[in-house]
Amino acid sequence: MTDLPKGITQRGSKFRVSTMVRGVRKTATCSTLEIAKETLQRYKLGLLEQSIEQHKTWTLQQAWEGYVEYRLAKTVATQTVNAQKFAWYGKVLLEFFGPNLSLDEITQQKTVSLYDELTLNRKYSASATNYFGSLFYQMQLFAFERGRKLTAPHRMKSRKLTKGRIRFLTSEEELQCINWYTSTGRDAQLDLFLFYTDTGLRKSEAFRLKFRDVDMKTGRITVWQSKTNQPRSVKMTTRLKRIMIKLYAVRKSDDELVFSNVAERRFYRDWIEMRDAIGLGDDQQFVIHMLRHTCCTRLLAAGVDIRTTMAWMGHASIEMTQRYAHFIPQNMDNAADKLDALTPETVTTTTNVMNLF
């Protein structure tokens, strides 16, 4: 017979665990040696108050609700940590696995199937998939550390983030959007569209904005809660100031949300309808967040320095802002012109080249 670990003895077909933990003897009777070993290990780590076979593992719904409550209690609401966003991710997770799935039934195969669902069926972006995977693992770890999951948590593989193409709004596309909102009577949605385009605020920042955050005298809009947890201010454009004057005149109080008359889901549905109407229904990069890209590229194209643009956009690092600078054609043209000015052969070479055509 195989030598048994210290703290485990066999009695007939059963295995008895007996060990001292902080001066208290812990005992359990287990049906298999594997379960006895796991029970002994968890006793020593202080992760278990009773044998594994007596222990009640959380269901997926119990674990998710417990984890979300824990996260919300310890974190100030931000763009990435809020009840609404957790509710959305939780709905996807519970619908896929079922709310009554035992956490110990989560295997690597099931984890891979979740990854396939997110990437192949739901077409989630790399960042959304990775964030979902992080929540999935942290939920399991939360339960595991509290003795409500007996098997080790499983990680979902992460997707490589690529810089790719940054989609921004052209002047022609902007005019098409404005005409559609105007012709369909979506005046409130048009106001929000122009607000996003001229401020570059994130979607959640705009919907949290209150009138007390808008200074009509200085023309400044202040964002107090942001993704980077750093307050910042932006200046209103002329057309944006006209919009804010109109909204300011009908406000009920300074604590009222600026865009309380626009529902976030309705704005999204209208955006999809508008995108189809102007012939861009197949352009999957034509999304609301693109308006933020538009503001950033226009700032840089207008000659605003990179540091000021970084502060305006609320980027966490200069590297994030530099992603936008490389495709501004004027920058490359100016650089080439300056090189030409330092090259003695420029005039002769240019003439010879043009003669080829």
Side-chain angles (χ1 to χ4, degrees):
M1 179 179 174
T2 304
D3 291 337
L4 298 175
K6 184 179 179 181
I8 299 178
T9 58
Q10 185 172 6
R11 293 184 178 181
S13 62
K14 303 291 185 180
F15 294 86
R16 179 172 175 77
V17 177
S18 179
T19 186
M20 296 294 292
V21 180
R22 300 186 186 90
V24 179
R25 180 161 296 280
K26 300 289 186 179
T27 62
T29 300
C30 305
S31 58
T32 68
L33 178 58
E34 288 72 22
I35 293 176
K37 288 179 178 179
E38 184 72 19
T39 299
L40 178 63
Q41 181 67 14
R42 288 179 173 274
Y43 275 156
K44 290 180 177 180
L45 294 174
L47 298 176
L48 202 62
E49 293 298 324
Q50 51 192 339
S51 74
I52 287 179
E53 292 175 316
Q54 297 172 312
H55 187 78
K56 185 171 178 61
T57 301
W58 273 344
T59 64
L60 186 63
Q61 182 165 357
Q62 288 173 322
W64 180 256
E65 290 175 351
Y67 174 65
V68 170
E69 183 180 1
Y70 167 77
R71 281 289 301 272
L72 293 177
K74 67 173 293 193
T75 312
V76 176
T78 64
Q79 183 184 16
T80 56
V81 182
N82 62 69
Q84 185 178 9
K85 195 167 188 177
F86 277 133
W88 183 78
Y89 280 115
K91 184 175 184 292
V92 174
L93 184 64
L94 296 176
E95 283 182 353
F96 182 73
F97 284 124
N100 297 320
L101 177 74
S102 169
L103 289 189
D104 288 329
E105 294 176 8
I106 295 177
T107 62
Q108 192 57 40
Q109 289 74 19
K110 281 186 170 65
T111 304
V112 171
S113 69
L114 175 61
Y115 177 86
D116 290 342
E117 169 68 16
L118 300 179
T119 57
L120 301 179
N121 297 334
R122 296 179 180 264
K123 308 294 184 183
Y124 281 12
S125 66
S127 59
T129 301
N130 293 345
Y131 183 67
F132 198 112
S134 174
L135 291 178
F136 181 60
Y137 176 78
Q138 292 296 330
M139 174 203 67
Q140 295 176 74
L141 184 63
F142 173 80
F144 182 77
E145 291 176 340
R146 287 156 180 78
R148 295 297 183 174
K149 175 174 169 57
L150 302 176
T151 57
H154 291 279
R155 286 186 183 274
M156 192 170 71
K157 70 176 181 179
S158 61
R159 294 178 62 186
K160 183 178 180 181
L161 297 173
T162 57
K163 292 182 179 179
R165 171 176 176 249
I166 295 178
R167 180 70 160 90
F168 60 96
L169 200 65
T170 66
S171 297
E172 181 182 356
E173 289 170 342
E174 181 179 6
L175 185 58
Q176 288 179 303
C177 295
I178 292 173
N179 288 339
W180 184 86
Y181 281 119
T182 302
S183 64
T184 58
R186 268 92 160 185
D187 294 340
Q189 285 82 349
L190 175 59
D191 289 344
L192 183 54
F193 169 85
L194 295 175
F195 179 89
Y196 280 135
T197 304
D198 286 5
T199 64
L201 264 64
R202 300 176 179 91
K203 285 189 293 183
S204 60
E205 292 172 346
F207 277 105
R208 282 199 301 262
L209 189 71
K210 296 184 177 181
F211 283 105
R212 56 180 164 82
D213 303 324
V214 180
D215 191 328
M216 297 303 297
K217 292 182 179 179
T218 62
R220 294 185 181 276
I221 296 172
T222 300
V223 177
W224 296 104
Q225 290 185 6
S226 69
K227 184 178 180 180
T228 58
N229 292 323
Q230 292 293 329
R232 72 183 191 280
S233 294
V234 300
K235 187 83 172 178
M236 285 184 260
T237 60
T238 300
R239 70 175 176 181
L240 182 54
K241 195 162 189 177
R242 287 197 295 266
I243 292 172
M244 298 309 297
I245 289 174
K246 176 183 66 176
L247 297 176
Y248 210 83
V250 297
R251 77 190 189 286
K252 296 178 181 178
S253 73
D254 287 345
D255 280 332
E256 182 182 352
L257 294 172
V258 174
F259 294 103
S260 59
N261 59 337
V262 181
E264 185 172 358
R265 289 189 178 183
R266 174 63 187 274
F267 185 73
Y268 174 77
R269 289 196 298 269
D270 287 345
W271 176 274
I272 299 301
E273 183 181 345
M274 178 267 293
R275 186 175 68 183
D276 292 338
I278 64 176
L280 294 173
D282 293 332
D283 188 347
Q284 296 304 308
Q285 290 185 317
F286 196 89
V287 296
I288 297 171
H289 191 74
M290 178 189 67
L291 302 180
R292 178 168 164 81
H293 296 324
T294 301
C295 180
C296 190
T297 58
R298 288 179 178 180
L299 287 171
L300 292 169
V304 179
D305 67 90
I306 197 88
R307 288 284 177 183
T308 301
T309 302
M310 173 187 170
W312 180 294
M313 300 303 298
H315 289 157
S317 65
I318 195 70
E319 288 76 18
M320 178 63 71
T321 315
Q322 286 172 335
R323 290 181 61 218
Y324 295 83
H326 73 280
F327 62 89
I328 303 299
Q330 296 91 323
N331 291 348
M332 295 301 178
D333 293 344
N334 292 339
D337 290 343
K338 290 180 180 179
L339 287 175
D340 281 342
L342 298 175
T343 306
E345 298 85 0
T346 296
V347 176
T348 302
T349 303
T350 302
T351 302
N352 292 338
V353 171
M354 292 305 295
N355 288 336
L356 294 178
F357 300 93

